[in-house]
Amino acid sequence: MKIPRIIFLLQILLLFFLLITSSCNRTTAADTSFVAINNEGRNPRLVSEKREPTLDTADYNKRMLSLSNNDRRGRWPVKKAPYPLAGALLPYNRIIAFYGNLYSKRMGVLGELPKEAMLKKLHYEVARWQAADPSIKTIPALHYIAVTAQSSPGKTNKHRLRMPFQQIDIVVDWAKPIHALVFLDLQVGHSSVREEVSMLDKYLKMPNVHLGIDPEFSMKNGETPGTKIGYFTAADINDAIAILAKVVRENKLPPKVLVVHRFTQRMVTDYRNIKLVPEVQVVMNMDGFGSKILKKSTYLDYIYREPVQFTGFKLFYKNDTRSNPNGLYTPEELLRFTPKPIYIQYQ
């Protein structure tokens, strides 16, 4: 009598176990089906836990204060400037750029020297700056004039010449093995910032490609480029900012850097109306050549006293040393400026 009871109890236990197992399997299948339908095979818990990169604002503020060299007049750091998107280059890196055009040996060291000699010299300058200021990473850049102003009107009557994309591709390729940034510079002539920037859309979608615009050759009153110094209004600069910001948003990129050249008062008008946005970091680059005293006064008059966001400083290997072999500023000397330039351009 005991054996049948034991068998009966074992059968009950087995049936109970099978019911539990079946229920668990159905739950797993249902969960898997839900994931596949709603998240294309991804676990919704993992998706919800994914975090967008964030900016450490305390660290950013500290770095900006350091760049200001403790400006006693309170112009720097710039007040009410928006924080950048995460992944911003500035103020976490100092950019050392070689400027020029591959078709000319007279427009800058990029184009004047053969590729290998140029890259070797760039590496040397990057190392000098890194040694002078170990607190910030120093990175190389190739600043290529992609649109050059022309004395002749050309077929479009716009006094500007666009470089072929094949030439831009060469510079982009040179930058890759040395992990350099690329800046594409515009001398618009009788064209506009909006028209010329829009032509570079495919390059600006690349994370390492940024923009430079040169008001010296923006001839709004019909003059021939080179006969007088041109200018940009805040609206021109805002056009570039708006296009870059749109590229950043649509392609989920880190912020772009916009370099604006300047060496006179009138080259940039109504600077207070330049609209800063989280997607774009604006560098006002002191672009004049001459003696150290002249260059410093230009920096103070037009860059320091009219703060926008970040500052740059251009060094001319030839023009700055023409009357004085020691006329080229050293990294140590420029680091004593207020504010410290974070973009350095060699021509």
Side-chain angles (χ1 to χ4, degrees):
M1 296 295 292
K2 291 182 179 181
I3 292 175
R5 288 180 184 176
I6 293 172
I7 293 174
F8 177 76
L9 290 172
L10 289 172
Q11 289 175 336
I12 294 295
L13 289 171
L14 179 61
L15 179 62
F16 182 72
F17 175 79
L18 290 173
L19 286 171
I20 291 176
T21 304
S22 175
S23 175
C24 290
N25 287 339
R26 284 196 301 273
T27 302
T28 303
D31 286 347
T32 303
S33 174
F34 176 82
V35 172
I37 292 172
N38 292 282
N39 292 285
E40 299 178 343
R42 293 175 295 171
N43 189 323
R45 288 185 293 274
L46 295 178
V47 172
S48 64
E49 290 173 3
K50 184 178 180 180
R51 296 286 186 268
E52 292 295 325
T54 58
L55 183 79
D56 184 339
T57 56
D59 179 60
Y60 180 87
N61 291 339
K62 181 180 178 181
R63 291 173 181 271
M64 292 298 287
L65 185 62
S66 175
L67 273 185
S68 76
N69 255 347
N70 297 311
D71 178 26
R72 289 179 292 180
R73 296 188 179 181
R75 289 187 172 98
W76 299 86
V78 175
K79 298 173 178 62
K80 298 182 179 179
Y83 287 115
L85 299 180
L89 284 167
L90 310 177
Y92 308 98
N93 302 275
R94 177 169 282 109
I95 301 168
I96 310 301
F98 270 15
Y99 172 93
N101 181 280
L102 299 186
Y103 283 122
S104 173
K105 295 183 179 297
R106 299 171 56 189
M107 297 181 75
V109 63
L110 175 59
E112 178 185 357
L113 297 179
K115 173 190 171 184
E116 295 305 324
M118 181 273 297
L119 293 177
K120 183 178 180 180
K121 192 176 184 70
L122 176 58
H123 176 74
Y124 167 76
E125 298 294 2
V126 169
R128 287 179 70 210
W129 276 93
Q130 189 65 78
D133 186 4
S135 69
I136 182 171
K137 183 180 178 182
T138 302
I139 56 177
L142 302 177
H143 196 121
Y144 183 66
I145 311 168
V147 178
T148 61
Q150 302 289 305
S151 58
S152 59
K155 293 180 180 179
T156 61
N157 203 37
K158 292 187 176 180
H159 287 268
R160 59 96 175 97
L161 178 64
R162 294 170 177 165
M163 297 300 104
F165 283 173
Q166 296 95 319
Q167 287 288 319
I168 299 176
D169 291 338
I170 290 173
V171 176
V172 171
D173 287 342
W174 286 2
K176 288 177 183 177
I178 62 170
H179 306 289
L181 306 177
V182 173
F183 285 83
L184 300 179
D185 205 84
L186 306 179
Q187 301 175 355
V188 300
H190 291 189
S191 184
S192 68
V193 169
R194 181 179 298 175
E195 181 178 348
E196 299 308 318
V197 175
S198 298
M199 294 299 297
L200 299 173
D201 182 68
K202 77 170 190 173
Y203 293 105
L204 294 172
K205 289 178 181 178
M206 301 176 183
N208 70 317
V209 176
H210 303 269
L211 185 67
I213 55 176
D214 195 343
E216 179 181 359
F217 301 101
S218 172
M219 317 312 294
K220 297 183 180 299
N221 299 315
E223 305 93 344
T224 300
T227 60
K228 65 177 296 184
I229 296 171
Y231 69 96
F232 283 148
T233 64
D236 294 318
I237 296 170
N238 289 338
D239 281 343
I241 291 172
I243 293 171
L244 291 175
K246 185 172 183 286
V247 170
V248 168
R249 289 192 300 270
E250 291 182 350
N251 296 278
K252 295 180 171 54
L253 299 172
K256 293 291 183 183
V257 177
L258 172 64
V259 173
V260 183
H261 303 277
R262 187 179 192 184
F263 58 88
T264 72
Q265 180 73 37
R266 194 173 176 273
M267 280 177 75
V268 175
T269 65
D270 54 330
Y271 78 97
R272 289 186 179 89
N273 292 326
I274 295 173
K275 297 176 182 178
L276 301 178
V277 297
E279 296 88 355
V280 182
Q281 301 188 288
V282 180
V283 175
M284 303 304 292
N285 184 41
M286 202 299 290
D287 193 15
F289 63 82
S291 69
K292 287 184 176 180
I293 293 174
L294 177 61
K295 289 172 74 82
K296 184 175 183 178
S297 65
T298 301
Y299 187 80
L300 290 173
D301 289 343
Y302 313 129
I303 305 298
Y304 167 77
R305 289 178 183 165
E306 296 193 358
V308 176
Q309 192 174 22
F310 296 95
T311 72
F313 202 92
K314 190 169 188 175
L315 297 165
F316 294 77
Y317 282 119
K318 293 181 178 178
N319 290 342
D320 287 351
T321 59
R322 187 161 292 162
S323 60
N324 179 8
N326 298 316
L328 204 67
Y329 270 109
T330 67
E332 290 79 9
E333 289 172 330
L334 287 177
L335 289 171
R336 291 196 286 269
F337 278 28
T338 299
K340 302 174 191 174
I342 199 162
Y343 170 88
I344 306 297
Q345 186 180 90
Y346 289 88
Q347 180 169 336

Short mmCIF file of all heavy atoms in Angstrom, two decimals, residues 102-125:
data_model
loop_
_atom_site.label_atom_id
_atom_site.label_comp_id
_atom_site.label_asym_id
_atom_site.label_seq_id
_atom_site.Cartn_x
_atom_site.Cartn_y
_atom_site.Cartn_z
N LEU A 102 48.23 74.73 -50.90
CA LEU A 102 49.15 73.84 -51.62
C LEU A 102 49.57 74.38 -52.99
O LEU A 102 50.55 73.91 -53.56
CB LEU A 102 48.52 72.45 -51.78
CG LEU A 102 48.18 71.69 -50.49
CD1 LEU A 102 47.69 70.29 -50.82
CD2 LEU A 102 49.38 71.64 -49.56
N TYR A 103 48.85 75.36 -53.53
CA TYR A 103 49.19 75.91 -54.83
C TYR A 103 50.20 77.06 -54.73
O TYR A 103 50.64 77.58 -55.76
CB TYR A 103 47.93 76.44 -55.53
CG TYR A 103 47.08 75.35 -56.13
CD1 TYR A 103 45.75 75.20 -55.75
CD2 TYR A 103 47.60 74.47 -57.08
CE1 TYR A 103 44.95 74.22 -56.30
CE2 TYR A 103 46.81 73.48 -57.63
CZ TYR A 103 45.48 73.35 -57.25
OH TYR A 103 44.70 72.37 -57.79
N SER A 104 50.54 77.49 -53.51
CA SER A 104 51.40 78.66 -53.37
C SER A 104 52.45 78.45 -52.29
O SER A 104 52.15 77.95 -51.21
CB SER A 104 50.56 79.89 -53.01
OG SER A 104 51.38 81.00 -52.73
N LYS A 105 53.66 78.86 -52.58
CA LYS A 105 54.73 78.84 -51.59
C LYS A 105 54.81 80.16 -50.81
O LYS A 105 55.63 80.31 -49.92
CB LYS A 105 56.08 78.56 -52.27
CG LYS A 105 56.19 77.18 -52.90
CD LYS A 105 57.57 76.96 -53.49
CE LYS A 105 57.70 75.58 -54.12
NZ LYS A 105 57.55 74.50 -53.13
N ARG A 106 53.94 81.10 -51.15
CA ARG A 106 53.99 82.43 -50.54
C ARG A 106 52.87 82.68 -49.54
O ARG A 106 52.84 83.71 -48.88
CB ARG A 106 53.92 83.50 -51.64
CG ARG A 106 55.09 83.43 -52.62
CD ARG A 106 54.85 84.36 -53.80
NE ARG A 106 54.61 85.74 -53.38
CZ ARG A 106 54.21 86.70 -54.20
NH1 ARG A 106 54.00 86.42 -55.49
NH2 ARG A 106 54.02 87.92 -53.76
N MET A 107 51.94 81.75 -49.42
CA MET A 107 50.79 81.98 -48.55
C MET A 107 50.95 81.38 -47.17
O MET A 107 50.10 81.61 -46.30
CB MET A 107 49.51 81.44 -49.22
CG MET A 107 49.18 82.13 -50.52
SD MET A 107 47.66 81.53 -51.30
CE MET A 107 46.42 82.30 -50.25
N GLY A 108 52.01 80.61 -46.96
CA GLY A 108 52.21 80.04 -45.64
C GLY A 108 53.05 78.78 -45.68
O GLY A 108 53.33 78.22 -46.74
N VAL A 109 53.44 78.34 -44.49
CA VAL A 109 54.33 77.19 -44.37
C VAL A 109 53.66 75.92 -44.89
O VAL A 109 54.34 75.00 -45.37
CB VAL A 109 54.78 77.04 -42.90
CG1 VAL A 109 53.60 76.76 -41.97
CG2 VAL A 109 55.85 75.98 -42.74
N LEU A 110 52.33 75.85 -44.82
CA LEU A 110 51.59 74.76 -45.45
C LEU A 110 51.49 75.06 -46.94
O LEU A 110 50.66 75.86 -47.37
CB LEU A 110 50.20 74.63 -44.81
CG LEU A 110 49.25 73.60 -45.44
CD1 LEU A 110 49.83 72.20 -45.40
CD2 LEU A 110 47.88 73.64 -44.76
N GLY A 111 52.34 74.46 -47.71
CA GLY A 111 52.45 74.76 -49.14
C GLY A 111 53.83 75.25 -49.51
O GLY A 111 54.31 75.01 -50.62
N GLU A 112 54.48 75.94 -48.60
CA GLU A 112 55.84 76.41 -48.86
C GLU A 112 56.85 75.28 -48.75
O GLU A 112 57.75 75.15 -49.58
CB GLU A 112 56.21 77.52 -47.87
CG GLU A 112 57.63 78.03 -48.03
CD GLU A 112 58.02 79.05 -46.97
OE1 GLU A 112 57.16 79.40 -46.14
OE2 GLU A 112 59.18 79.48 -46.98
N LEU A 113 56.70 74.44 -47.72
CA LEU A 113 57.64 73.34 -47.49
C LEU A 113 57.09 72.03 -48.05
O LEU A 113 55.87 71.83 -48.10
CB LEU A 113 57.89 73.16 -45.99
CG LEU A 113 58.54 74.34 -45.25
CD1 LEU A 113 58.69 73.99 -43.77
CD2 LEU A 113 59.89 74.70 -45.86
N PRO A 114 57.96 71.11 -48.46
CA PRO A 114 57.50 69.77 -48.82
C PRO A 114 56.78 69.12 -47.64
O PRO A 114 57.03 69.48 -46.47
CB PRO A 114 58.80 69.03 -49.16
CG PRO A 114 59.78 70.11 -49.45
CD PRO A 114 59.42 71.27 -48.61
N LYS A 115 55.93 68.19 -47.94
CA LYS A 115 55.08 67.58 -46.91
C LYS A 115 55.86 67.13 -45.69
O LYS A 115 55.55 67.51 -44.54
CB LYS A 115 54.32 66.38 -47.50
CG LYS A 115 53.54 65.59 -46.47
CD LYS A 115 53.01 64.29 -47.04
CE LYS A 115 52.41 63.40 -45.95
NZ LYS A 115 51.98 62.09 -46.47
N GLU A 116 56.88 66.29 -45.86
CA GLU A 116 57.58 65.71 -44.71
C GLU A 116 58.30 66.77 -43.89
O GLU A 116 58.30 66.72 -42.65
CB GLU A 116 58.56 64.63 -45.18
CG GLU A 116 57.89 63.41 -45.81
CD GLU A 116 56.85 62.78 -44.90
OE1 GLU A 116 57.06 62.76 -43.67
OE2 GLU A 116 55.82 62.31 -45.43
N ALA A 117 58.91 67.74 -44.56
CA ALA A 117 59.59 68.82 -43.84
C ALA A 117 58.58 69.67 -43.07
O ALA A 117 58.85 70.10 -41.93
CB ALA A 117 60.37 69.69 -44.82
N MET A 118 57.43 69.91 -43.68
CA MET A 118 56.39 70.69 -43.02
C MET A 118 55.87 69.97 -41.78
O MET A 118 55.73 70.58 -40.70
CB MET A 118 55.25 70.96 -44.01
CG MET A 118 54.11 71.79 -43.46
SD MET A 118 52.83 70.77 -42.62
CE MET A 118 52.24 69.77 -44.00
N LEU A 119 55.59 68.68 -41.90
CA LEU A 119 55.06 67.92 -40.76
C LEU A 119 56.08 67.81 -39.64
O LEU A 119 55.74 67.85 -38.46
CB LEU A 119 54.61 66.53 -41.22
CG LEU A 119 53.39 66.50 -42.16
CD1 LEU A 119 53.10 65.07 -42.58
CD2 LEU A 119 52.17 67.13 -41.50
N LYS A 120 57.35 67.69 -40.00
CA LYS A 120 58.41 67.64 -38.99
C LYS A 120 58.48 68.96 -38.22
O LYS A 120 58.61 68.98 -36.99
CB LYS A 120 59.75 67.34 -39.66
CG LYS A 120 60.91 67.20 -38.67
CD LYS A 120 62.20 66.86 -39.41
CE LYS A 120 63.38 66.72 -38.42
NZ LYS A 120 64.64 66.38 -39.14
N LYS A 121 58.36 70.06 -38.94
CA LYS A 121 58.39 71.38 -38.30
C LYS A 121 57.16 71.58 -37.42
O LYS A 121 57.25 72.15 -36.32
CB LYS A 121 58.47 72.46 -39.38
CG LYS A 121 58.81 73.86 -38.85
CD LYS A 121 58.96 74.82 -40.02
CE LYS A 121 59.39 76.22 -39.55
NZ LYS A 121 60.78 76.23 -39.06
N LEU A 122 56.02 71.12 -37.88
CA LEU A 122 54.80 71.21 -37.08
C LEU A 122 54.94 70.42 -35.78
O LEU A 122 54.56 70.90 -34.70
CB LEU A 122 53.60 70.70 -37.90
CG LEU A 122 52.25 70.64 -37.17
CD1 LEU A 122 51.84 72.00 -36.63
CD2 LEU A 122 51.18 70.08 -38.10
N HIS A 123 55.48 69.23 -35.89
CA HIS A 123 55.70 68.40 -34.69
C HIS A 123 56.62 69.12 -33.70
O HIS A 123 56.39 69.08 -32.48
CB HIS A 123 56.31 67.06 -35.09
CG HIS A 123 56.65 66.18 -33.92
ND1 HIS A 123 55.69 65.51 -33.18
CD2 HIS A 123 57.85 65.88 -33.34
CE1 HIS A 123 56.28 64.85 -32.20
NE2 HIS A 123 57.59 65.05 -32.28
N TYR A 124 57.62 69.80 -34.23
CA TYR A 124 58.55 70.56 -33.38
C TYR A 124 57.82 71.66 -32.63
O TYR A 124 58.02 71.85 -31.41
CB TYR A 124 59.66 71.13 -34.25
CG TYR A 124 60.52 72.18 -33.57
CD1 TYR A 124 61.49 71.82 -32.64
CD2 TYR A 124 60.35 73.54 -33.86
CE1 TYR A 124 62.27 72.79 -32.01
CE2 TYR A 124 61.13 74.50 -33.25
CZ TYR A 124 62.08 74.12 -32.32
OH TYR A 124 62.84 75.08 -31.71
N GLU A 125 56.97 72.41 -33.32
CA GLU A 125 56.24 73.50 -32.67
C GLU A 125 55.24 72.97 -31.63
O GLU A 125 55.08 73.55 -30.55
CB GLU A 125 55.51 74.35 -33.71
CG GLU A 125 56.41 75.04 -34.71
CD GLU A 125 57.31 76.12 -34.10
OE1 GLU A 125 57.29 76.31 -32.87
OE2 GLU A 125 58.06 76.76 -34.87
#
